[in-house]
Amino acid sequence: MDFSLNEEQRRWQNEARHFAREVLLPASLKRDQIEGAFEPWDWDIIKAGSKLGFRTFAVPKELGGHGADFISQAIVMSELAKADSAMSKAFSQNWKWSHLIAEFCTKDQKDRFLTPFLADHTYVIGSASTEPNAGSDNRFPPLEDKSAGFRLKAERESKDGDWILNGDKCFIANGSVGKLFFINARSDFNTIAREGTTVFMVPLDTPGFRIGKIFNKAGWRFYQNAELICEDARLPHANVVGEPHKGQKVRSGVAAEFSDFELAANALGICDAATEYAMAFAKKEKRAGKPLWDHQLVQLNIHEMNMLTETLRSYVMRCAWDMDTRVHGSLSPVLAMAYASDVLQRVTKLNMEVHGAHGGMMDAMTQKLVRDGIIWTHLAGDNTQRLKAVRRMK
Ligand SMILES: Cc1cc2nc3c(=O)[nH]c(=O)nc-3n(C[C@H](O)[C@H](O)[C@H](O)COP(=O)(O)OP(=O)(O)OC[C@H]3O[C@@H](n4cnc5c(N)ncnc54)[C@H](O)[C@@H]3O)c2cc1C
């Protein structure tokens, strides 16, 4: 396998590295420590990254985007995440949309939603599955229990009429800032969730649709997560993605693989940052009359961080290659994500250990990396994700 980058991939790497160092890193800890759920968000950062192409990065070239391959996507996500994991995610969250449009959207949907998305640097997108009592159930839907999974209800007024949506979603990324949401709704309660859901495109100005509470998180503070509320929200049939009741098909495939892959690539950026911070600290600080770097215990800790980060890099890049070359049936994304979660927790903990008490202070990046890593415990490396991988192995 050839691991070298082509000219375009290297160009994106340099672009992302420069943007991360000059714009994201100086803002990272400052934005993280602003109180409130919405307040850490900064439109100037989104606009600046969007002008460089990081918002529309994955839209196919023939549709007006940059058509980035998965290798470039992995590189950009991890380079941005090295400066700030939440900011990186605020850009890559939009890439799911481009995978969905390329695979499922009609020409009319592309005209109505893709055109403004490409033109507006503040157009960001969310995708909503989770409900107050159905998070894992939606990501790993039980195969027999009809009562499990989405409860947000979609009913068609008449055979050719509009759809009416009722119910709530929670924790939805880009929730408080998005202009368009892909909402998964239960359109048939007589069967299991996998067979009875429909995905709708819901623009912010949909009658009966509104944003509720914004969640105030311990990690990924820049990133926005909010409730979405549908109270007789009215949508034309033309906003159905794919076919009615076939939401599972829309949710699976490349768009779903991307969600797993995204978290693995983002975690790599955090691990790179943690390893660099630990090395810099160990070289600068002296304990017991010599640099920390010269103490064997510290060397072993940093060695482990480095080794785990490099194995994760290999896995993420192999996974990107699999996805670019369409090695079908590959378990890479979901396994890489679960692995990334374990590596991330270990590497950020070792970084804390190298820093001692300094690492726990609010002005230290060390503790921020640990707080950002909390997100992986329920989004990526939790047991439900592992069960998902096991089900696919059968
Ligand atoms: C930063 C962030 C971003 C997010 N972004 C989005 C988004 O954009 N869109 C979206 O839809 N959601 C989003 N979420 C929600 C996320 O997908 C859910 O948190 C996740 O699916 C887990 O669901 P839950 O938190 O409801 O936990 P639960 O599903 O309630 O799980 C709680 C516990 O029960 C266990 N459990 C649950 N079901 C089973 C089972 N069948 N078998 C065994 N154990 C089980 C779990 O392992 C866990 O230990 C986001 C959350 C965060 C924090």
Side-chain angles (χ1 to χ4, degrees), residues 32-267:
D32 172 83
Q33 301 200 346
I34 298 174
E35 278 185 34
F38 175 72
E39 288 71 9
W41 180 259
D42 182 358
W43 278 114
D44 286 341
I45 287 177
I46 300 302
K47 284 186 215 161
S50 176
K51 284 177 190 163
L52 295 172
F54 297 134
R55 193 180 51 88
T56 52
F57 196 50
V59 178
K61 273 189 182 147
E62 60 278 16
L63 297 180
H66 297 276
D69 59 8
F70 287 105
I71 290 181
S72 304
Q73 291 176 34
I75 292 168
V76 168
M77 285 189 275
S78 58
E79 289 290 345
L80 301 186
K82 191 173 164 189
D84 191 290
S85 163
M87 293 175 187
S88 176
K89 184 71 168 70
F91 288 107
S92 63
Q93 179 67 4
N94 295 294
W95 304 355
K96 273 180 211 153
W97 152 250
S98 26
H99 294 297
L100 272 179
I101 341 170
E103 249 186 304
F104 287 102
C105 289
T106 60
K107 173 162 182 333
D108 160 67
Q109 288 169 342
K110 285 174 190 152
D111 290 344
R112 284 188 294 137
F113 301 116
L114 178 61
T115 306
F117 172 68
L118 289 170
D120 177 356
H121 290 302
T122 63
Y123 199 118
V124 295
I125 294 161
S127 155
S129 289
T130 308
E131 298 177 7
N133 53 6
S136 309
D137 272 1
N138 295 334
R139 301 168 88 212
F140 183 63
L143 296 175
E144 281 140 26
D145 186 356
K146 291 180 194 170
S147 69
F150 312 109
R151 308 309 289 171
L152 191 146
K153 187 175 175 185
E155 282 177 299
R156 201 157 182 195
E157 265 188 333
S158 62
K159 195 168 156 284
D160 301 313
D162 288 344
W163 288 85
I164 306 295
L165 271 56
N166 277 293
D168 301 347
K169 295 284 182 186
C170 60
F171 303 134
I172 306 310
N174 283 343
S176 51
V177 289
K179 291 192 174 156
L180 175 69
F181 298 94
F182 287 88
I183 293 192
N184 292 277
R186 195 73 171 260
S187 46
D188 184 355
F189 283 90
N190 295 316
T191 182
I192 55 169
R194 286 171 73 89
E195 290 165 9
T197 62
T198 303
V199 180
F200 294 88
M201 293 171 99
V202 182
L204 188 58
D205 60 2
T206 299
F209 174 68
R210 66 184 169 89
I211 308 305
K213 169 186 172 179
I214 307 176
F215 294 91
N216 199 3
K217 306 189 299 299
W220 269 9
R221 291 193 42 72
F222 180 89
Y223 201 51
Q224 294 291 303
N225 292 84
E227 275 176 337
L228 307 184
I229 299 170
C230 294
E231 290 159 328
D232 287 332
R234 178 175 288 276
L235 289 160
H237 184 67
N239 284 27
V240 169
V241 183
E243 287 175 57
H245 317 306
K246 298 273 168 58
Q248 182 66 26
K249 193 172 170 206
V250 176
R251 283 191 299 281
S252 52
V254 183
E257 277 191 342
F258 175 78
S259 306
D260 299 345
F261 167 67
E262 179 188 27
L263 286 161
N266 190 305

